[in-house]
Amino acid sequence: MTSVEIDQGPGITSYKRGIHPAHYMFKIESLSTPEVEKYESGVFEVGGYKWSLAFYPTGNENMNGNDYISLYLVIENTEKLPACWEVNVSFRLFLFDQIRDNYLTIEAANGKISRFHATKTEWGFGKFLSLKSFHDASNGYLVGDTCIIGAEVLVVESNRKQDALLMIKSPPNNIMTWTPTKVSTLHGEEYVSQVFTVEESKWKLSISPKVNELREGKHLSIYLQCVEAVSQYQNIKVYVESKLRIKKFHGISKPLEYNVKHWFSSSESMGFQSFVSRLDPIALTGSDWLTIEAEIMVISKVKSIT
């Protein structure tokens, strides 16, 4: 077998494979009689569009295909397409090796997309394979004056969606205030506030009086929780910069405040396990009140721009 001569430029990839073309095969018999400049295949449909193959057995001179065979994918029935139509396609073209039962496969390199439109209705390869290699019987591409070509077509749909991410500073209603009462009597694992809404996302505050048995329940844990992100963007996290503070608590002379910066997903909490030490419950009286506040300084929001 002689070497196969392919003019593989920087934008072309060639290889051999044993799998048949997925979409179309076309057999040309009696190729040399009569001499035909260009063969046109039957029409096949992929991706809602009609296609055919154009084969030049002695090369497409208009595309510098002299001394090569040329092979192209052609879009058909374009008169039925809407005005200013455009179809973006990734495709492979094939030439069957009838001796070894595999296919010489040529495609654009690096997944390059070909754009079919009114003034460009065919794409392919002017120098698909040298005439010398094509006519060499030992290569198996032309056997008994017969060759077989094929195609695979992937239509790249343009149902593109675009979103924009905004960082909103000091959004409206950005302060959440919660006052649970009788903190010294709280012995459960977690207590939660009502739900607050900030920029369409839902939030709540929570405290855990008994977060760690080693601390014997003498620390308060305070968290900010994203209950639900904006409904149409459930898979997008929400970024928040907030100040989480205790404004009033028995035995505290001034507010305690910590910063929280976090990308929240739905049902995710972020806060501080040991926000403040609790006083001995015996020392607490009827003034055992707690006021917690979360101020959202920055929050992200995604909006559609399509």
Side-chain angles (χ1 to χ4, degrees):
M1 177 179 177
T2 63
S3 61
V4 176
E5 297 179 18
I6 302 171
D7 186 9
Q8 184 176 336
I12 298 174
T13 297
S14 66
Y15 53 93
K16 295 183 180 181
R17 78 176 207 189
I19 301 173
H20 300 304
H23 296 133
Y24 188 66
M25 293 176 64
F26 184 62
K27 185 176 183 180
I28 304 173
E29 300 178 344
S30 303
L31 185 66
S32 61
T33 54
E35 292 186 2
V36 177
E37 179 182 349
K38 174 185 176 182
Y39 288 87
E40 297 180 0
S41 77
V43 175
F44 60 101
E45 182 173 347
V46 179
Y49 298 93
K50 305 287 187 180
W51 308 93
S52 68
L53 297 176
F55 176 66
Y56 296 77
T58 57
N60 182 359
E61 295 182 0
N62 295 329
M63 298 300 293
N64 299 317
N66 295 332
D67 300 321
Y68 287 81
I69 62 169
S70 304
L71 185 57
Y72 298 89
L73 176 68
V74 183
I75 189 167
E76 300 284 353
N77 294 2
T78 57
E79 69 280 1
K80 297 182 180 180
L81 297 177
C84 301
W85 64 271
E86 178 179 304
V87 182
N88 296 313
V89 170
S90 173
F91 66 92
R92 301 184 182 98
L93 299 180
F94 301 83
L95 180 62
F96 185 46
D97 180 347
Q98 300 171 62
I99 296 175
R100 296 162 192 83
D101 191 28
N102 62 32
Y103 292 86
L104 174 62
T105 307
I106 309 289
E107 62 181 303
N110 301 318
K112 181 180 178 181
I113 302 298
S114 299
R115 186 170 66 94
F116 289 77
H117 51 88
T119 59
K120 182 66 174 178
T121 58
E122 66 177 42
W123 284 90
F125 309 99
K127 296 182 178 181
F128 189 94
L129 180 68
S130 72
L131 287 175
K132 179 181 177 181
S133 295
F134 180 63
H135 286 279
D136 187 332
S138 67
N139 286 331
Y141 300 124
L142 183 61
V143 176
D145 207 23
T146 296
C147 72
I148 301 171
I149 57 179
E152 287 181 353
V153 181
L154 174 63
V155 176
V156 181
E157 296 291 348
S158 59
N159 297 327
R160 182 173 56 250
K161 185 177 186 298
Q162 296 186 62
D163 293 324
L165 177 68
L166 307 177
M167 290 293 182
I168 302 172
K169 295 181 179 180
S170 301
N173 304 314
N174 65 326
I175 296 179
M176 297 173 275
T177 302
W178 176 40
T179 305
T181 60
K182 293 291 184 180
V183 178
S184 63
T185 65
L186 301 180
H187 299 293
E189 293 299 322
E190 182 183 40
Y191 297 86
V192 298
S193 73
Q194 70 272 30
V195 174
F196 303 88
T197 300
V198 180
E199 288 298 330
E200 302 180 59
S201 295
K202 299 184 185 301
W203 304 86
K204 67 182 179 182
L205 298 166
S206 67
I207 59 174
S208 298
K210 295 178 65 176
V211 69
N212 192 321
E213 291 299 329
L214 294 177
R215 298 189 177 97
E216 298 178 351
K218 293 184 178 180
H219 287 77
L220 277 175
S221 301
I222 301 181
Y223 297 93
L224 174 65
Q225 179 177 339
C226 179
V227 179
E228 182 181 5
V230 181
S231 58
Q232 63 266 40
Y233 297 107
Q234 289 292 332
N235 296 323
I236 296 181
K237 291 186 176 183
V238 178
Y239 176 76
V240 163
E241 292 183 9
S242 68
K243 294 183 181 294
L244 195 57
R245 62 176 70 99
I246 291 181
K247 295 189 68 175
K248 297 179 180 179
F249 186 46
H250 184 76
I252 295 178
S253 58
K254 61 180 180 179
L256 296 176
E257 183 176 274
Y258 294 94
N259 294 324
V260 173
K261 296 182 179 181
H262 189 65
W263 285 92
F264 286 85
S265 56
S266 293
S267 302
E268 183 177 11
S269 297
M270 180 59 61
F272 300 91
Q273 214 176 53
S274 300
F275 198 103
V276 63
S277 296
R278 297 177 67 199
L279 302 179
D280 189 333
I282 299 176
L284 296 174
T285 66
S287 63
D288 181 15
W289 293 78
L290 171 67
T291 299
I292 302 170
E293 188 173 271
E295 180 180 1
I296 294 184
M297 314 300 293
V298 178
I299 187 170
S300 66
K301 184 176 182 179
V302 175
K303 70 174 185 178
S304 175
I305 58 175
T306 54

